[in-house]
Amino acid sequence: MNIQIDQKDFELLIEYDQIKKRIRLIGIQLEVDYEGRVPVFVGVLNGSFMFLGDLMKEVGISSEVTFIKVSSYEGDQSTGKIRKEIDLYMDLKDRDVIIVEDIVESGNTLKHVIDIIKEHNPASLNVCTLLLKPRKLNQDLEEITYVGFEIPNEFVIGYGLDYNGLGRNLKDIYRAEHVPTET
């Protein structure tokens, strides 16, 4: 199925049923890894809200949730400049922290968030991301522990990810269609 958002064409990449199954498996792994502990899930807004919401339904252990908002995108391109828009308002000292991301591409934004959280001296710090673009990653991020799907270096929307603010509400994930170039 193809869709159009803000005059840009997209094609289906990952169906919601696949997303739900993968999230259930991640939830099980988190329950095992954090048994007997009370982790804090830090959602990175805006994109992680759907993933974090569904993930929390699959995590049966006691846990807390908070958010941070940083941004670097305009349209479908990163500006390279990271802005903190909403700061953390929770004490994370000696806590087990799990950063929840919608997508990790270059890793620059995530590295920035990791550095912010490390200033709070957590007991442990791991990252759970729905999508990872391994070929675009230019940071060494050993904290990435839980990955839903590895995807090619393509622009994607849906399930919390947007294009010019649109498409976050789509339950499936779509990739931008390639426009053939003339030779």
Side-chain angles (χ1 to χ4, degrees):
M1 179 168 96
N2 295 354
I3 61 169
Q4 190 175 70
I5 303 269
D6 204 15
Q7 278 77 62
K8 193 170 185 80
D9 294 318
F10 295 88
E11 62 187 9
L12 184 64
L13 179 62
I14 305 171
E15 292 181 342
Y16 182 60
D17 284 344
Q18 290 176 277
I19 296 168
K20 286 191 312 187
K21 287 175 186 171
R22 187 66 187 122
I23 291 172
R24 178 66 192 129
L25 293 174
I26 293 170
I28 290 168
Q29 188 62 53
L30 286 164
E31 287 179 352
V32 169
D33 292 351
Y34 289 90
E35 184 179 4
R37 298 189 277 172
V38 182
V40 177
F41 290 86
V42 178
V44 181
L45 295 173
N46 284 339
S48 73
F49 77 99
M50 287 181 82
F51 176 42
L52 180 58
D54 283 348
L55 182 62
M56 292 291 74
K57 295 172 195 169
E58 300 297 340
V59 175
I61 59 172
S62 294
S63 58
E64 294 182 67
V65 175
T66 191
F67 296 93
I68 188 170
K69 184 175 182 179
V70 293
S71 62
S72 67
Y73 262 76
E74 289 179 11
D76 62 358
Q77 297 293 314
S78 175
T79 63
K81 295 181 180 169
I82 300 164
R83 297 181 313 274
K84 183 168 42 171
E85 297 180 13
I86 299 175
D87 204 350
L88 286 168
Y89 295 105
M90 178 182 253
D91 183 11
L92 300 177
K93 183 173 174 40
D94 298 325
R95 300 292 306 272
D96 295 305
V97 176
I98 303 162
I99 298 170
V100 179
E101 271 279 27
D102 54 350
I103 188 167
V104 177
E105 297 180 86
S106 69
N108 295 337
T109 301
L110 178 57
K111 175 78 169 96
H112 186 76
V113 172
I114 288 170
D115 290 345
I116 290 170
I117 291 175
K118 281 184 174 179
E119 291 174 5
H120 291 258
N121 299 311
S124 69
L125 178 59
N126 289 294
V127 174
C128 177
T129 183
L130 179 62
L131 304 174
L132 175 66
K133 293 183 180 179
R135 287 185 286 160
K136 190 170 181 184
L137 196 62
N138 65 23
Q139 296 283 337
D140 183 22
L141 300 169
E142 62 188 36
E143 294 86 358
I144 298 176
T145 310
Y146 309 95
V147 177
F149 302 92
E150 289 188 4
I151 63 170
N153 188 16
E154 299 175 313
F155 185 73
V156 293
I157 64 163
Y159 199 71
L161 299 142
D162 74 300
Y163 174 60
N164 289 336
L166 302 173
R168 289 189 195 278
N169 60 313
L170 300 169
K171 67 179 185 173
D172 302 311
I173 296 175
Y174 295 82
R175 67 175 156 211
E177 285 188 355
H178 299 288
V179 178
T181 57
E182 292 183 34
T183 56

